[in-house]
Amino acid sequence: PLGSTVAKVFSNDVHTLETTVKVRQTTVNGRLPRPNGSIKYVQIEGGASPGNSGSMIIDSLGNVRSVLVAGINAQIVFSIPSEYVVYLLEGRMLNLVPSQPIETDGVVRQQIAAWISDPMKRIKSVALEMWVGEPGKRIRPGVTSPPSPVHGDSPRQTVEMTYNATAEVPVGASREAKTEWKMPEVPDGHVVWLQPRYTTPDGKVRWGEAIVMDTTTLSVQRKPATLSVKHKAGESHKLRLESHIGIAAAPEHGELHLQGLGVNFDLTEKTNSVQPDGTAKIQLTYNNMRAIDADTDFQFQTMYKGMLETAKGMVAEMQVSKRGLIKSPKLSMKNVPVVIRTFMERFNIQTVQSLEALSLALPDRELKPGDTWQHDQNYTVAFGRQLIENALFKTTYRFAGTRLREGREEAVIEFDGKIVRVEGSEAPLFPPEEGQDKGKGKGKNAPLRIRGMHGEVRGAAFVDVATGLASHARTAGTLEFEVPHVGQVLKFGAALRIELQREVVPNSGIKTTKMTLPNQEVLLNPFVGSPDHKLTLAPSTNNEQKATTDR
């Protein structure tokens, strides 16, 4: 437990510390399946302590059955099935990102990027096999011989991916592979299936899991468009904002702390006035807000019963340029009870930051398909009162083209970005105490050097060309950094997922689209286990153990 820490503690009076392999009795007391029936975690009881992560769990025949990865305490411990480790060592596709389909001369093509993990260099080349079929269970297990078609499957289309098996990558990083394929028509009730095919250095071929690839089937044409927000004084638009922000913090050897909240906001944005340069004064009114998690929402409604109803009239005022950039947001809380103003202010910060993350920074000029522009957006990460840190989204936007949808011309924008730390934004780990000299930088409240901040964001948006308003937009990102503190290193990680839907025509209502946004990550989780209910029981005999291991 706790790795080399134990060796350091007990080696103070000896030159060499010797130990033995530790074996403790462990009982499998449950399995946590994914919706498709695949086993995600195996829950065990006994035999594990904090710091044991990475240890193997073996059965009485000596087979490695799972690997310890997490625990809430010594009693509630989770492990991943050993198949995950085996599949990773064999090399596999971790995720893929389908781009916006583009129509050229009557042919619709789509680019796809994928990330391959191959730590043992057991993959020489990668291809994708794609076809149209019925949804089914949305996943088919990998095989080592050519897959048999299922009723309703169309003929398969195979495309090779550009992949450099010898490229040097940092430890833990993946190799990128790319390809482009000709999209077929997808009839109603059918989906696009995808299955990776791997060729090993000795010429053997195997197929990974086949999955349903959620992708937008409505293509764009390579037509230019001028993109800017055309504000109109007096107009109001309904907004629906879904914002998830989660933060984790942990010392090198210690308990993990989590905080986060997913909230749905129903808002109205009203344009009060428009200045000559196109900048508008926008009034944002809260119509409703609720936690996405039902249990959390119940707690809110119980703890703040009646007060949240009053807070629904909370108003924020801001300036929005014709590029969609937000300036000078101010919150009016005169109608909000004093007792929950701090609570509500936190939600308003999350709202404004979510809108800023999806502002798109439209270039206010004519764009040709494939044109790009860049924008840097600051984002503040707050972990309680302990840490407030700034990150910078260095984002590149790409104009894919336009199309007609429901009688209106719509532009499709994809964007990717890196997250870096803003120079000079070091913050104290603890808020300065009253009367403390902030300039000396001494004591526990001294500014601490943030190191290693990095991360990425990815997203896309549908923009109404006539108004410049995004009818549907989504972004997801992660970041991590470290803070040296009191002889150890605190590790922080954050994840965000933000989705916006807006009515572009006043009083027309928000039209929830079922279309999938492009440039969204699709995870390829290996299929492990079986929906067979017998797998929810711990093995009781050697025969059952052997059979379960084979499965």
Side-chain angles (χ1 to χ4, degrees):
L2 303 182
S4 61
T5 300
V6 175
K8 292 177 181 178
V9 171
F10 290 100
S11 295
N12 291 335
D13 300 323
V14 295
H15 296 290
T16 302
L17 178 69
E18 294 184 358
T19 184
T20 61
V21 174
K22 307 300 190 298
V23 179
R24 289 184 284 174
Q25 185 65 35
T26 297
T27 302
V28 174
N29 58 3
R31 292 172 173 82
L32 280 68
R34 300 180 190 275
N36 59 28
S38 179
I39 303 302
K40 182 176 183 180
Y41 294 117
V42 178
Q43 185 175 340
I44 65 172
E45 185 172 310
S49 301
N52 274 146
S53 293
S55 299
M56 69 181 75
I57 299 168
I58 64 173
D59 62 22
S60 59
L61 301 179
N63 298 306
V64 178
R65 301 298 298 275
S66 62
V67 176
L68 190 68
V69 295
I72 299 175
N73 50 47
Q75 287 72 45
I76 305 177
V77 182
F78 300 97
S79 61
I80 58 171
S82 57
E83 289 93 329
Y84 286 131
V85 182
V86 173
Y87 292 151
L88 185 62
L89 293 177
E90 287 182 347
R92 64 177 290 106
M93 187 178 294
L94 300 179
N95 53 53
L96 57 88
V97 178
S99 65
Q100 169 62 42
I102 298 176
E103 180 180 349
T104 305
D105 299 328
V107 178
V108 178
R109 296 186 178 278
Q110 181 182 49
Q111 292 183 347
I112 297 177
W115 281 263
I116 313 293
S117 180
D118 185 21
M120 308 302 292
K121 297 184 179 180
R122 293 174 175 172
I123 296 177
K124 181 180 180 181
S125 62
V126 184
L128 291 179
E129 295 185 0
M130 306 182 193
W131 67 96
V132 175
E134 298 176 357
K137 295 182 179 180
R138 297 180 67 87
I139 189 171
R140 303 179 191 178
V143 292
T144 55
S145 57
S148 301
V150 174
H151 175 73
D153 286 357
S154 69
R156 293 193 174 208
Q157 179 183 157
T158 302
V159 291
E160 296 290 334
M161 305 194 77
T162 57
Y163 177 70
N164 185 352
T166 61
E168 294 295 328
V169 296
V171 174
S174 305
R175 294 181 177 87
E176 186 176 5
K178 292 184 177 181
T179 192
E180 181 179 277
W181 77 307
K182 178 182 176 182
M183 284 195 66
E185 291 188 9
V186 183
D188 291 341
H190 288 66
V191 295
V192 175
W193 281 87
L194 175 149
Q195 188 166 28
R197 187 187 71 193
Y198 310 107
T199 302
T200 64
D202 59 3
K204 295 181 180 180
V205 179
R206 58 184 173 88
W207 286 259
E209 286 77 17
I211 64 167
V212 171
M213 184 177 69
D214 292 322
T215 181
T216 177
T217 55
L218 185 59
S219 60
V220 298
Q221 296 181 337
R222 300 185 65 82
K223 294 176 57 179
T226 299
L227 298 182
S228 63
V229 183
K230 291 84 172 177
H231 298 289
K232 292 185 178 180
E235 278 196 352
S236 295
H237 301 270
K238 300 291 185 182
L239 296 179
R240 183 172 298 139
L241 185 65
E242 183 175 309
S243 177
H244 296 254
I245 298 177
I247 304 176
E252 287 181 292
H253 305 300
E255 185 178 355
L256 178 69
H257 297 275
L258 301 171
Q259 91 173 20
L261 186 61
V263 186
N264 276 324
F265 300 96
D266 291 328
L267 310 161
T268 298
E269 59 177 6
K270 181 180 179 182
T271 304
N272 288 331
S273 63
V274 181
Q275 301 175 15
D277 66 354
T279 299
K281 291 185 177 180
I282 302 293
Q283 176 180 293
L284 200 66
T285 303
Y286 286 76
N287 301 323
N288 194 13
M289 57 175 290
R290 58 197 179 278
I292 295 173
D293 177 72
D295 292 336
T296 305
D297 188 60
F298 176 77
Q299 293 177 8
F300 282 171
Q301 301 300 333
T302 303
M303 293 170 58
Y304 301 102
K305 188 175 182 179
M307 297 182 184
L308 289 179
E309 294 296 321
T310 306
K312 287 180 182 179
M314 186 170 65
V315 173
E317 295 181 345
M318 62 190 72
Q319 296 183 25
V320 180
S321 72
K322 59 182 178 179
R323 296 187 62 196
L325 300 178
I326 296 174
K327 302 176 182 178
S328 308
K330 296 180 180 179
L331 178 64
S332 173
M333 305 188 74
K334 62 181 181 180
N335 296 326
V336 179
V338 175
V339 69
I340 64 168
R341 286 185 178 179
T342 302
F343 177 75
M344 296 304 299
E345 185 177 12
R346 171 190 171 190
F347 287 114
N348 184 67
I349 293 173
Q350 184 167 342
T351 301
V352 173
Q353 288 195 331
S354 297
L355 292 175
E356 287 177 334
L358 292 175
S359 64
L360 305 179
L362 299 178
D364 188 28
R365 59 181 172 85
E366 184 180 81
L367 297 171
K368 297 179 181 179
D371 283 353
T372 64
W373 65 98
Q374 295 183 332
H375 177 67
D376 294 347
Q377 177 68 55
N378 189 53
Y379 195 89
T380 301
V381 179
F383 189 83
R385 297 173 62 248
Q386 291 182 324
L387 183 71
I388 299 175
E389 184 59 32
N390 291 326
L392 191 68
F393 286 46
K394 299 180 75 68
T395 309
T396 299
Y397 300 86
R398 297 181 301 277
F399 171 55
T402 66
R403 63 191 175 201
L404 285 177
R405 186 161 69 92
E406 298 180 352
R408 299 185 68 88
E409 187 178 17
E410 177 179 72
V412 178
I413 297 172
E414 300 173 324
F415 55 90
D416 300 271
K418 297 293 184 182
I419 300 176
V420 297
R421 180 172 172 270
V422 182
E423 289 298 326
S425 65
E426 294 174 0
L429 185 62
F430 301 98
E433 298 175 355
E434 186 175 356
Q436 181 186 11
D437 187 349
K438 304 177 185 179
K440 295 182 178 179
K442 297 180 180 180
K444 70 175 182 179
N445 296 313
L448 298 176
R449 180 171 298 280
I450 308 300
R451 68 187 192 192
M453 175 176 282
H454 62 276
E456 59 183 21
V457 289
R458 181 187 305 280
F462 300 150
V463 176
D464 183 70
V465 175
T467 62
L469 298 175
S471 60
H472 191 190
R474 187 179 188 272
T475 186
T478 59
L479 67 88
E480 58 186 61
F481 55 94
E482 298 178 347
V483 180
H485 177 60
V486 193
Q488 62 176 329
V489 175
L490 300 179
K491 297 178 181 290
F492 289 85
L496 60 93
R497 186 174 74 254
I498 306 167
E499 188 160 0
L500 167 72
Q501 295 185 71
R502 173 192 278 116
E503 63 173 1
V504 296
V505 178
N507 303 317
S508 63
I510 298 175
K511 299 179 181 179
T512 303
T513 175
K514 296 182 179 180
M515 292 186 60
T516 301
L517 285 159
N519 202 38
Q520 305 295 306
E521 185 177 75
V522 180
L523 299 178
L524 278 78
N525 293 311
F527 189 89
V528 174
S530 164
D532 187 342
H533 71 281
K534 293 180 181 179
L535 288 181
T536 62
L537 304 176
S540 58
T541 66
N542 285 348
N543 290 336
E544 185 178 352
Q545 284 178 325
K546 184 63 167 61
T548 306
T549 302
D550 289 344
R551 278 202 295 270

